[in-house]
Amino acid sequence: WTSLAFLLITLLSVTLIPTSVSAVYSWKVCNGKENLPIQVESLSLSPDSPKRGVVMTVKVNGTNMGTEIRDGVFIISAKYMGIHVYSRRDPLCQSLGCPLPSGPFSSDIGYMLPYYAPPGQYEVMLQVLDTAGEEDICLVLDMSIRATDTLARAWQMSFDDKFRRHDSRKLKLGR
């Protein structure tokens, strides 16, 4: 009965685990920050469904309504299910490239999503501060990362390993 119970629980677990990564995302300008010098018209993620252990690229298209930006700080922070889990400050020129001219622009920002990132709801804040510490841009990206096929493979490997061990014991006993 123990082996049968293990087999049933494992099969049920594997079939209930999603076998692909999918993410849904949306973005908005931070509340009360609609009139900052950099106006964002679009934001997209690549791949569309971010994957753990893979670089996620955020592409931003917008217009710099102010003067050319030659220096500053790029800040990214993340909350997982409402709990702050990540923060990073980089020189603006390292993250977005400098100078950021007045007028229309397009910029890509790439970040590796850790392979250990748990599935769930994330809120990611993206900010650019000028050299005086004034905000030029503030965006909030909401995204959901679901379990990956890696988890399903791990369960399957665990099942296969236990099944092989069980079979080998059975064969030895039968001789």
Side-chain angles (χ1 to χ4, degrees):
W1 282 102
T2 307
S3 296
L4 180 59
F6 172 77
L7 175 64
L8 290 174
I9 290 170
T10 303
L11 286 174
L12 185 59
S13 299
V14 169
T15 59
L16 293 177
I17 295 172
T19 58
S20 65
V21 175
S22 61
V24 177
Y25 69 92
S26 64
W27 68 276
K28 64 181 179 181
V29 174
C30 299
N31 289 332
K33 309 281 177 120
E34 293 81 13
N35 295 318
L36 293 176
I38 298 176
Q39 300 291 307
V40 174
E41 286 124 27
S42 67
L43 182 146
S44 61
L45 298 183
S46 177
D48 285 339
S49 297
K51 296 178 182 173
R52 297 186 282 186
V54 175
V55 173
M56 175 183 74
T57 301
V58 180
K59 182 177 183 102
V60 178
N61 293 304
T63 304
N64 179 0
M65 308 297 271
T67 60
E68 180 178 82
I69 300 171
R70 295 189 166 277
D71 199 5
V73 178
F74 176 74
I75 302 170
I76 183 170
S77 59
K79 292 181 181 178
Y80 170 68
M81 300 179 73
I83 300 167
H84 185 265
V85 294
Y86 180 80
S87 187
R88 181 174 174 167
R89 294 173 69 99
D90 289 323
L92 178 64
C93 298
Q94 177 184 321
S95 298
L96 297 177
C98 286
L100 184 61
S102 285
F105 73 92
S106 180
S107 189
D108 295 350
I109 308 149
Y111 279 97
M112 173 73 74
L113 292 177
Y115 70 91
Y116 54 82
Q121 189 65 33
Y122 289 83
E123 179 184 277
V124 180
M125 183 178 282
L126 307 168
Q127 296 172 283
V128 171
L129 306 180
D130 64 20
T131 53
E134 297 293 321
E135 251 179 343
D136 285 327
I137 190 171
C138 183
L139 301 174
V140 176
L141 171 64
D142 288 311
M143 62 184 223
S144 177
I145 298 178
R146 297 191 181 114
T148 67
D149 58 345
T150 303
L151 183 56
R153 279 195 300 267
W155 276 86
Q156 184 64 44
M157 287 169 43
S158 173
F159 169 74
D160 289 346
D161 184 50
K162 290 197 185 300
F163 188 70
R164 274 191 297 273
R165 276 191 268 151
H166 177 70
D167 273 358
S168 66
R169 277 185 269 150
K170 193 174 185 181
L171 290 173
K172 287 178 187 172
L173 293 174
R175 290 185 182 186

